[in-house]
């Protein structure tokens, strides 16, 4: 029975991890559609991420969307996703797709990818 439960849990994708301080750490892969390029969306997202201590990256996609990966404390990541739903002045967000993924801790900062 114990081995069977262990096998089931090992097959689950865990979307979060706990830091040493006990705060839940998460990873979100985000795609933002609408008028989101040419309106400082990437630079404002980087600014908001750094204010919240969120790590990861943001970039423009050839199809006109913005793609980003956010890692950090759950509440900070959720707040950054909320920012993406609004965007900076001049943006008109029509859709935000969020894919929750395994937290990796691979990032040391938040950057704009080109």
């Amino acid at each position: 029975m114990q081995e069977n439960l262990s096998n089931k849990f090992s097959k689950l994708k865990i979307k979060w991890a706990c830091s040493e301080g006990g705060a839940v750490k998460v990873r979100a892969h985000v795609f933002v559609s609408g008028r989101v390029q040419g309106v400082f969306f990437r630079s404002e997202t980087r600014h908001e991420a750094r204010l919240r201590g969120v790590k990861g990256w943001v970039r423009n996609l050839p199809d006109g969307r913005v793609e980003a990966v956010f890692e950090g404390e759950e509440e900070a990541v959720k707040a950054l996703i909320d920012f993406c739903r609004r965007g900076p002045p001049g943006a008109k967000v029509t859709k935000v797709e969020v894919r929750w993924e395994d937290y990796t801790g691979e990032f040391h900062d938040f950057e704009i990818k080109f």
Side-chain angles (χ1 to χ4, degrees):
M1 179 77 165
Q2 180 75 9
E3 186 176 323
N4 190 18
L5 284 176
S6 294
N7 287 339
K8 286 182 181 181
F9 285 119
S10 68
K11 292 178 183 177
L12 290 176
K13 271 194 114 175
I14 298 173
K15 299 176 184 171
W16 56 271
C18 288
S19 71
E20 291 176 11
V24 175
K25 299 278 191 160
V26 297
R27 177 183 177 114
H29 196 157
V30 180
F31 297 87
V32 186
S33 301
R35 188 173 68 227
V36 294
Q37 291 188 13
V39 293
F40 301 99
F41 203 100
R42 292 175 298 162
S43 62
E44 289 299 314
T45 300
R46 178 179 60 189
H47 175 75
E48 294 291 328
R50 288 178 172 172
L51 284 177
R52 292 172 170 79
V54 174
K55 313 295 186 210
W57 53 263
V58 62
R59 68 178 173 186
N60 285 342
L61 292 175
D63 65 5
R65 295 180 299 161
V66 167
E67 177 185 20
V69 172
F70 305 141
E71 283 197 345
E73 292 186 7
E74 182 178 24
E75 292 307 312
V77 170
K78 286 181 177 180
L80 196 52
I81 292 168
D82 286 342
F83 167 78
C84 287
R85 288 188 170 95
R86 296 183 311 275
K92 180 157 177 53
V93 177
T94 58
K95 181 179 177 184
V96 176
E97 179 185 348
V98 180
R99 298 178 187 165
W100 295 100
E101 300 175 348
D102 292 337
Y103 176 82
T104 66
E106 68 185 277
F107 305 113
H108 301 289
D109 196 3
F110 195 92
E111 64 182 35
I112 296 174
K113 283 189 168 187
F114 295 95

